[in-house]
Amino acid sequence: THIGDRNTIREYATIHRGTKENTATEIGNDNYLMAYSHVAHNCKIGNKVILVNNASLTGYCEVGDGAFLSGFVGLHQFSKIGTMAIISALTAVNKDIPPYMMAGGRPAVVQGINVIGLRRAGIPAEVRTEIKEAYKLLYKSGLNTSQALEKIKGTLKSPQVNVLVEFIETSDRGIAA
């Protein structure tokens, strides 16, 4: 188990080690794991992540930098949460949640973009507009994911949108509806 610097790990939080030789559970820097949160074997958590009370990661999950998992969120094994995604309380995640998105429900569905998180992180307005356009193409245009990605790659060029595209293209489980 590798735990970085300046992490706050509250009462009864559990963190499991890697299951096999030469594997590890990895937690970055400046994270906040609230009471009863759970990080199972072989998970990877980035930096500045918040796991609210009873948020639970099963084995091999990945959580990107700046993500926020509300109380009683549960992730299916091998799920990925993108950079600066926010997930509402009581959500069951069984597909990957793309970066910068806001998701909730049972099963999780993407409900919009994490506007407040993006503003707080100092993401410029023009980049937030590109992320919003990418969201519309992915979720509101009627295009399938492959068609939406082609359109996004052809028109939107910010580094943050590139992170979003790469996340989706490398998703093993597929992204949440």
Side-chain angles (χ1 to χ4, degrees):
T1 302
H2 305 284
I3 300 176
D5 298 323
R6 298 173 307 281
N7 289 293
T8 301
I9 302 170
R10 296 302 307 230
E11 304 83 14
Y12 306 106
T14 55
I15 302 168
H16 292 187
R17 66 182 184 172
T19 55
K20 298 176 184 162
E21 195 171 330
N22 299 317
T23 68
T25 299
E26 300 174 15
I27 298 175
N29 302 316
D30 302 303
N31 297 298
Y32 190 31
L33 281 62
M34 293 187 187
Y36 298 97
S37 58
H38 175 67
V39 180
H41 61 88
N42 303 92
C43 287
K44 293 181 180 11
I45 295 178
N47 302 311
K48 297 183 179 179
V49 169
I50 298 173
L51 300 181
V52 177
N53 297 12
N54 290 292
S56 184
L57 311 181
T58 56
Y60 296 93
C61 291
E62 295 181 21
V63 181
D65 294 344
F68 186 101
L69 282 65
S70 298
F72 294 94
V73 166
L75 271 63
H76 191 281
Q77 202 167 14
F78 296 100
S79 295
K80 296 178 186 173
I81 307 299
T83 298
M84 295 182 64
I86 185 167
I87 303 175
S88 66
L90 303 170
T91 295
V93 176
N94 61 1
K95 298 269 189 180
D96 296 345
I97 307 298
Y100 320 115
M101 299 298 155
M102 177 175 57
R106 298 180 70 79
V109 294
V110 172
Q111 300 167 332
I113 61 171
N114 183 7
V115 176
I116 294 171
L118 292 169
R119 281 189 197 135
R120 287 181 181 168
I123 304 296
E126 59 273 6
V127 175
R128 293 194 314 262
T129 299
E130 279 204 8
I131 293 168
K132 186 175 183 179
E133 289 303 314
Y135 163 77
K136 287 179 182 177
L137 287 168
L138 280 166
Y139 291 101
K140 301 292 183 184
S141 67
L143 300 172
N144 68 34
T145 303
S146 298
Q147 293 167 331
L149 284 175
E150 287 306 313
K151 201 155 199 164
I152 290 167
K153 288 192 275 189
T155 58
L156 305 173
K157 301 298 180 191
S158 71
Q160 289 83 356
V161 170
N162 292 337
V163 167
L164 175 65
V165 168
E166 182 180 343
F167 180 93
I168 294 168
E169 288 180 333
T170 60
S171 172
D172 294 324
R173 296 187 62 80
I175 61 170

